[in-house]
Amino acid sequence: MARKILAAGNWKMNKTPSQTKALIAEMREACKSETVDVLLCVPAICIPAAVEAAAGSNIQIGAENMYFEESGAYTGEISPEMIVDAGATYVIMGHSERRDYFGESNEDVNKKVLKALEHNLVPVMCCGESLTQREQGITMDWIRQQVKIGMIGVSAEDAVKVVIAYEPIWAIGTGKTATAEQAEEVCKGIRDLIRELYGDAVAEEIRILYGGSVNPGNAAELFAKEDIDGGLVGGASLKTSFGEIVNYNK
Ligand code: PGA
């Protein structure tokens, strides 16, 4: 069975709850698709507005972060139960901005992956190398380490539910997209690693996204690659034209 393409937006720290409502109301029509899954990950405070605005459409809502404990004295954090109760179904973890600015480690990401799965939230686990690492020729070693640690303790049954997003840091928000060949090479490398860890069936089923300056102009070429199953889209998911990424094949 062919993997279904996932067009996932990552709004980052943009849009208020009222702006969220208005934008999703506009996006509903543009993002209609029977062949592509559509996801918008929004700031935690915007999740209820997003869920309400997306109700009855094909747009699913996700969170951008989550803590790995159930509840307690963790001022400012958001628990899996809160995310589920608010109606979100996905959660991003290990985004390079969270790793860089907020010290999220591979071990944290692993705890988050396990906790999200426990709550039936789909983890969107990000990985990616810096420009220096690419120039040093250690891209795949770095990515393999991030993914391997992220997946520690995840069963084969659960592993297929995880979405892995490959986002080269040098391509995020820079307008510098990796070429489709560069993106495919790493996404294939990730699938090969999943095959080593979990076997063929899981490797064939798990979805691997590319992220980093995806836009309506380059989505078709990227998504056509064998091992790229969609995109994690930042800037271009804040506009109604995100629908052109969703409908990349039309
Ligand atoms: P970008 O961000 O599409 O704006 O480059 C992608 C991401 O950080 O997920």
Side-chain angles (χ1 to χ4, degrees):
M1 209 182 81
R3 296 178 293 270
K4 198 168 176 190
I5 294 283
L6 171 62
N10 171 14
W11 281 11
K12 310 193 178 185
M13 199 174 75
N14 293 293
K15 303 294 171 192
T16 63
S18 17
Q19 290 167 343
T20 298
K21 239 180 224 175
L23 181 53
I24 295 182
E26 275 178 31
M27 278 182 155
R28 286 175 66 111
E29 194 57 35
C31 290
K32 270 193 182 152
S33 171
E34 294 191 347
T35 51
V36 172
D37 284 338
V38 183
L39 167 68
L40 291 174
C41 296
V42 304
I45 201 164
C46 298
I47 292 175
V51 168
E52 195 189 316
S57 78
N58 58 317
I59 301 174
Q60 302 211 61
I61 302 302
E64 297 176 12
N65 182 34
M66 178 199 87
Y67 199 49
F68 51 72
E69 294 291 351
E70 293 292 341
S71 65
Y74 305 103
T75 304
E77 290 294 328
I78 314 281
S79 78
E81 194 186 1
M82 293 171 193
I83 294 172
V84 171
D85 188 70
T89 47
Y90 286 67
V91 53
I92 296 175
M93 46 203 60
H95 191 280
S96 61
E97 286 150 19
R98 294 220 53 93
R99 293 178 188 263
D100 282 358
Y101 307 146
F102 306 101
E104 201 166 306
S105 67
N106 288 334
E107 290 70 21
D108 294 334
V109 173
N110 178 234
K111 287 182 194 161
K112 291 181 180 195
V113 168
L114 292 167
K115 189 50 84 177
L117 288 166
E118 205 182 302
H119 287 266
N120 284 321
L121 280 165
V122 178
V124 179
M125 184 180 77
C126 303
C127 58
E129 83 288 4
S130 65
L131 189 56
T132 310
Q133 289 161 337
R134 177 157 283 265
E135 286 168 355
Q136 288 169 335
I138 59 163
T139 296
M140 214 51 236
D141 302 293
W142 182 261
I143 303 285
R144 283 177 62 92
Q145 174 154 328
Q146 286 184 321
V147 174
K148 253 184 163 169
I149 297 176
M151 298 294 281
I152 288 174
V154 177
S155 67
E157 193 191 328
D158 277 345
V160 288
K161 301 174 194 161
V162 176
V163 173
I164 299 175
Y166 165 56
E167 300 202 301
I169 299 169
W170 48 272
I172 295 179
T174 57
K176 234 190 199 178
T177 324
T179 64
E181 288 68 34
Q182 284 173 319
E184 166 63 14
E185 187 184 8
V186 178
C187 289
K188 181 182 182 304
I190 295 171
R191 199 175 306 283
D192 289 342
L193 169 62
I194 296 297
R195 189 170 287 111
E196 282 170 36
L197 297 173
Y198 295 104
D200 277 338
V202 175
E204 289 312 312
E205 202 177 326
I206 197 167
R207 290 200 281 192
I208 303 173
L209 312 183
Y210 165 77
S213 300
V214 175
N215 61 52
N218 59 26
E221 193 190 355
L222 288 160
F223 299 178
K225 290 288 176 196
E226 177 68 27
D227 292 292
I228 301 179
D229 307 316
L232 183 56
V233 185
S237 71
L238 289 160
K239 297 180 221 149
T240 313
S241 56
F242 180 61
E244 294 171 33
I245 297 177
V246 171
N247 289 293
Y248 72 98
N249 52 357
K250 302 241 164 95

